[in-house]
Amino acid sequence: MSFAVGDRVRVLTMNPPGHNRAPRYVRGHVGEVVRLVGDGRFPDESAVIGDAARREDIVTVAFAGPELWGPDSHTGDRVHVDLFVSYLEAVGERSDGGRTR
Amino acid sequence: MSGAGHHRNAELQARVNRLLDLAESRGVITRGQVDARIEAFGDRVTARNGADMVVRAWNSPEYRERLLADAGAAAAELGHAGGGYSSDIRLHAVANTPTVHHVVVCTLCSCYPLAWLGPPPAWYKSEAYRSRVVRDPRGVLREFGLVLPNSTEVRVWDASAEARYLVVPQRPPGAEELSEDAQRDLVTRDCLIGVAVPRLPAEVSR
């Protein structure tokens, strides 16, 4: 999976048993890719097998405050989180009536 | 905000001593080498490194451009290459403007731009700071004494993967009259994390 700056993405809702570096507070939420960071060792694997872990791209995703915390949050707040791309899915047109905000 | 867990210091110290004993007895490292490393931290790995970069950016638009494009290379230009523990660590500088304020956190652990800011303060590693600054950055900044206008955008950077973030604060009005050395004194560690902004001495004493 690769993303470009400006793409809208959703962090997968997931609860894997091992190490994972997608903060819980962004899982399931939609943000915008604002920066391509480069690649790094995929932490879910490197926690177990060290340097033999595969490398994966990281992108910085910006989330609006209200998207993460609800209407009480300041609309001028943005939280940026660096996320490995396999934690993300592209947000496009959805036909299943799911959340698309 | 104060760091939690001070009551555990004695227990922690005992564990550190035990580990040092073991490492020394097995020839991994000597106490002298550990001391030398700690000394290097105290002398060379401090927030002066980050302040150096900020002041250069205040006084050179070209450097500022390079700093915002590739902070690692811009740091190396001034002899502040990070190096060391992981080649994957990349520094990224984010600049405050009249309408945007940046602040840095690591919610998952305590990732910190150590090579450019020195060892992190205890509060940076506290659960209170890490959990609250993403939820209510304005409230947390207010507790640090930094009250932002409602119209200011607050951008929080959660350094949870390979990047480290350095905030480039704005130069306070009047600071351009000061020498670069005096300007550096204005750029504290807290300014580089984003929980404070540089103030002229006259303002501070008010």
Side-chain angles (χ1 to χ4, degrees), chain B residues 89-163:
Chain B
I89 300 299
R90 301 177 185 96
L91 183 66
H92 185 54
V94 288
N96 289 345
T97 73
T99 54
V100 176
H101 181 85
H102 297 279
V103 59
V104 181
V105 65
C106 170
T107 60
L108 290 182
C109 46
S110 53
C111 297
Y112 188 75
L114 192 129
W116 303 278
L117 268 67
W123 57 257
Y124 184 85
K125 299 181 276 186
S126 71
E127 287 182 6
Y129 178 74
R130 288 160 47 210
S131 56
R132 289 187 53 220
V133 78
V134 286
R135 165 71 186 85
D136 178 23
R138 286 159 209 273
V140 171
L141 295 177
R142 204 176 304 123
E143 289 171 31
F144 275 98
L146 179 59
V147 181
L148 297 171
N150 202 41
S151 56
T152 300
E153 270 185 50
V154 178
R155 299 190 184 166
V156 183
W157 296 82
D158 185 352
S160 52
E162 315 298 77

Side-chain angles (χ1 to χ4, degrees), chain B residues 36-122:
Chain B
R37 196 67 188 257
I38 291 171
E39 218 166 285
F41 265 117
D43 290 351
R44 296 197 303 270
V45 184
T46 72
R48 291 294 278 188
N49 297 347
D52 237 10
M53 294 157 63
V54 166
V55 168
R56 181 62 59 89
W58 282 353
N59 293 288
S60 160
E62 296 79 20
Y63 183 80
R64 180 188 161 91
E65 210 167 290
R66 294 199 295 280
L67 178 63
L68 297 181
D70 183 348
E77 266 185 54
L78 302 187
H80 304 315
Y85 53 110
S86 167
S87 57
D88 283 341
I89 300 299
R90 301 177 185 96
L91 183 66
H92 185 54
V94 288
N96 289 345
T97 73
T99 54
V100 176
H101 181 85
H102 297 279
V103 59
V104 181
V105 65
C106 170
T107 60
L108 290 182
C109 46
S110 53
C111 297
Y112 188 75
L114 192 129
W116 303 278
L117 268 67

Side-chain angles (χ1 to χ4, degrees), chain A residues 1 9 12 25 35 37-39 41-43 52 55 63 69 73 76 85 88-89 91 98-99 101:
Chain A
M1 199 70 155
V9 292
L12 301 179
Y25 72 92
R35 199 169 81 92
V37 177
D39 67 347
R41 297 231 179 271
F42 188 54
R55 298 188 70 87
F63 299 89
W69 314 110
S73 181
V85 292
L88 304 172
E89 62 181 358
V91 176
R99 289 187 307 148
R101 47 173 304 187

